[in-house]
Amino acid sequence: MPYIITQETYALIPVGKKTKIIEREKIIIVNETPAEVVSTNCIINGSSLEGRQKGSSYLIGTTYKPPIIINDRDNIVLLPTHSIRNNECIWINLNSILNYIKNMDKTTILEFKNKKKINLKVSFTIFDKQVLKATRLESTLRGRNNQKYL
């Protein structure tokens, strides 16, 4: 049974060939990589990961590390911390973010809405750009969903 990404899903963190999934109330380990979990969820929601990347690129005009719409009905947008081909790539649910700050060692401390924190091995500037891309995508998606016709 595949893991289904929901609003309760906060982050997908690689742990070797497995994924540590942080949810609002619990942590789950699944026997797939984060890219495999994301890819499966794209397919479950009617597209491929490549198709979702192309769609995001088209909607917000970015091709490098595009955020992904997992489920447009529930406005679930995931942003990658690295290239998806990078084994260290963590996927973050945009709607789970409460705050993020620059850490002394040039990494980023991410605080989720449930007040839990994780340290991301990515600079504040890079993570901030990823959040801005995801926010643009989510705003575009919300605007599109509010229109009767495209």
Side-chain angles (χ1 to χ4, degrees):
M1 190 79 179
Y3 176 80
I4 305 299
I5 296 170
T6 68
Q7 288 292 356
E8 299 289 306
T9 308
Y10 281 10
L12 306 172
I13 303 171
V15 181
K17 300 259 186 217
K18 297 181 180 187
T19 301
K20 175 180 170 182
I21 300 171
I22 298 176
E23 290 188 338
R24 185 168 57 88
E25 298 290 332
K26 61 186 173 188
I27 293 174
I28 301 167
I29 303 291
V30 296
N31 291 318
E32 293 180 301
T33 66
E36 290 169 334
V37 173
V38 171
S39 181
T40 299
N41 275 268
C42 289
I43 291 167
I44 288 169
N45 286 292
S47 185
S48 65
L49 177 53
E50 182 181 320
R52 296 287 182 175
Q53 288 175 303
K54 285 181 181 179
S56 294
S57 295
Y58 176 80
L59 289 171
I60 63 171
T62 185
T63 56
Y64 185 64
K65 296 190 296 186
I68 302 294
I69 299 166
I70 292 294
N71 182 326
D72 58 357
R73 184 186 65 243
D74 295 329
N75 279 355
I76 299 174
V77 176
L78 298 185
L79 61 107
T81 59
H82 297 78
S83 163
I84 65 166
R85 290 178 294 284
N86 185 324
N87 293 335
E88 294 183 20
C89 182
I90 296 172
W91 290 87
I92 307 291
N93 183 341
L94 175 65
N95 293 319
S96 71
I97 299 172
L98 178 64
N99 194 20
Y100 52 98
I101 58 171
K102 194 181 299 186
N103 200 2
M104 299 291 278
D105 63 357
K106 298 184 181 179
T107 60
T108 303
I109 298 172
L110 170 61
E111 182 178 8
F112 294 111
K113 288 183 176 176
N114 66 358
K115 304 293 185 180
K116 300 255 192 293
K117 296 178 183 179
I118 62 171
N119 191 37
L120 301 173
K121 294 179 184 173
V122 63
S123 76
F124 177 86
T125 303
I126 289 172
F127 188 71
D128 189 50
K129 286 179 184 176
Q130 288 303 104
V131 170
L132 291 174
K133 285 183 203 177
T135 302
R136 276 196 354 247
L137 181 61
E138 195 270 339
S139 176
T140 301
L141 175 63
R142 194 173 346 108
R144 188 181 69 184
N145 286 345
N146 288 336
Q147 293 178 345
K148 283 189 174 184
Y149 306 100
L150 289 177

